[in-house]
Amino acid sequence: MHTHTGVETTPATATTARVAWTGLAALAPIVWGTTYVVTTRFLPEGHPVFAAMMRALPAGLIALALTRRLPTGSWWWRSAVLGTLNMAAFFPLLFVAAQELPGGVAATLGAAQPLVVAVLAIVVLGERGSVWRMGAGVLGVVGIALVVLGPGAALSPLGIAAGLCGALSMGLGVVLTKKWGRPPGVSAITFAGWQLTAAGLVLLLPALLLDGVPPDIDGRAVVGYAWLTLVGGLAAYAVWFAALGRLPVTATALLGPLSPLVAALVGVLVGGESLGGVQVLGFAIALAAMVGGQLPPPRSRRAVAGGHEGPSGADTDVPLSPATRDPRRD
């Protein structure tokens, strides 16, 4: 089969492209998994909204300065909505959870996000429900829950509520991002910059009124803010949005368990935390769920092997070829 570009597309090349984009997408939750140790070890305590604003606004302004492109038309309000869901609401909740819960426990609550995305994909995107992907999401939650039940995992009700609300907020943001896509010719870094700037502006006044500027910003805090701004904010979101445009939304969301797993590992390596047998089992289950969620359902794989291409939807999941996309968007 030939595309309009004259480049031959085969199942092997399409699968290779899918694997490459999945690996790229995985970098974002891996980076986000470092947020918890940076928050608790580098940033001043008691300023979660200010930390959230610092993660968003400088990154957004840097992206706008680099790309020199502003939203047009409906993308003004869409950028505001997406920025609020993906960042302005999500970041403060994330920082509250990080300060209320120990080590990787805060991030584990994000394991509910793939389930939120799976349900919203049916409601908002009109996708068919995938029992395979839903099962992978449930299995991921079970695995992460086992990690939470490790020794010393004190649970704060405020931290739990913040973590779950954060998962809901970003889950809706991810689905709407998939629904609206990106304007033609707009790069992922521009798209991320629009949302980060909108989120930073939404958070600016609450950050100054509720938290104020921390009086004890030292060199260590500057390093922490710089990491969250440049790597955890601008770079990670640019990669995430680029990959989200190429991959199935539920499968992409199922990469989320990488964040709590990385956070827990960092807690062991840096924070002196320990992992018991139950937690190790939870790691294995969560990783298996994440990998399994990237595979098409067995029925779809049998159809492809038999040479039958099913209808598009959550259960079909035919890998995307780069030739089927506008390269200017990435």
Side-chain angles (χ1 to χ4, degrees):
M1 181 177 66
H2 293 271
T3 67
H4 295 295
T5 62
V7 179
E8 185 175 357
T9 302
T10 66
T13 58
T15 300
T16 300
R18 168 71 179 272
V19 171
W21 279 107
T22 300
L24 189 64
L27 293 177
I30 288 174
V31 168
W32 293 333
T34 66
T35 299
Y36 308 94
V37 69
V38 171
T39 299
T40 55
R41 289 181 168 268
F42 285 78
L43 303 187
E45 292 186 8
H47 296 78
V49 184
F50 181 84
M53 186 272 295
M54 287 296 295
R55 184 177 178 183
L57 187 56
L61 294 177
I62 291 172
L64 293 182
L66 291 174
T67 61
R68 298 182 181 275
R69 181 162 183 175
L70 296 175
T72 58
S74 63
W75 279 104
W76 282 103
W77 69 264
R78 286 183 177 184
S79 297
V81 170
L82 294 178
T84 298
L85 292 172
N86 285 324
M87 301 148 190
F90 177 65
F91 287 172
L93 293 169
L94 185 69
F95 285 115
V96 169
Q99 292 189 343
E100 290 290 324
L101 298 171
V105 177
T108 60
L109 295 173
Q113 182 184 317
L115 295 176
V116 173
V117 170
V119 173
L120 291 176
I122 298 172
V123 176
V124 178
L125 302 179
E127 291 187 356
R128 293 185 310 178
S130 172
V131 176
W132 176 264
R133 293 262 160 72
M134 190 70 74
V138 172
L139 192 62
V141 171
V142 171
I144 298 302
L146 292 177
V147 177
V148 176
L149 295 177
L155 301 180
S156 157
L158 176 60
I160 292 174
L164 291 177
C165 288
L168 178 61
S169 176
M170 190 171 181
L172 180 57
V174 166
V175 171
L176 288 179
T177 300
K178 187 68 174 181
K179 178 180 176 65
W180 291 335
R182 274 187 277 139
V186 172
S187 67
I189 191 171
T190 301
F191 192 56
W194 292 352
Q195 295 189 43
L196 287 163
T197 302
L201 293 176
V202 169
L203 290 169
L204 181 58
L205 189 58
L208 296 177
L209 293 179
L210 297 177
D211 286 357
V213 179
D216 52 346
I217 297 180
D218 54 14
R220 189 179 183 87
V222 170
V223 172
Y225 286 129
W227 174 265
L228 294 180
T229 295
L230 299 176
V231 183
L234 183 56
Y237 273 99
V239 166
W240 180 252
F241 291 138
L244 187 59
R246 302 273 186 149
L247 299 171
V249 63
T250 305
T252 308
L254 283 167
L255 294 171
L258 277 173
S259 181
L261 294 183
V262 169
L265 285 176
V266 171
V268 172
L269 297 175
V270 178
E273 300 177 10
S274 60
L275 294 178
V278 173
Q279 288 180 295
V280 173
L281 176 62
F283 263 81
I285 292 174
L287 287 174
M290 180 192 67
V291 173
Q294 305 311 306
L295 300 174
R299 181 177 60 185
S300 176
R301 293 199 293 270
R302 289 194 297 268
V304 172
H308 302 291
E309 188 171 318
S312 62
D315 287 332
T316 305
D317 235 17
V318 178
L320 298 176
S321 166
T324 64
R325 293 280 181 171
D326 182 352
R328 297 174 302 169
R329 292 181 61 184
D330 302 307

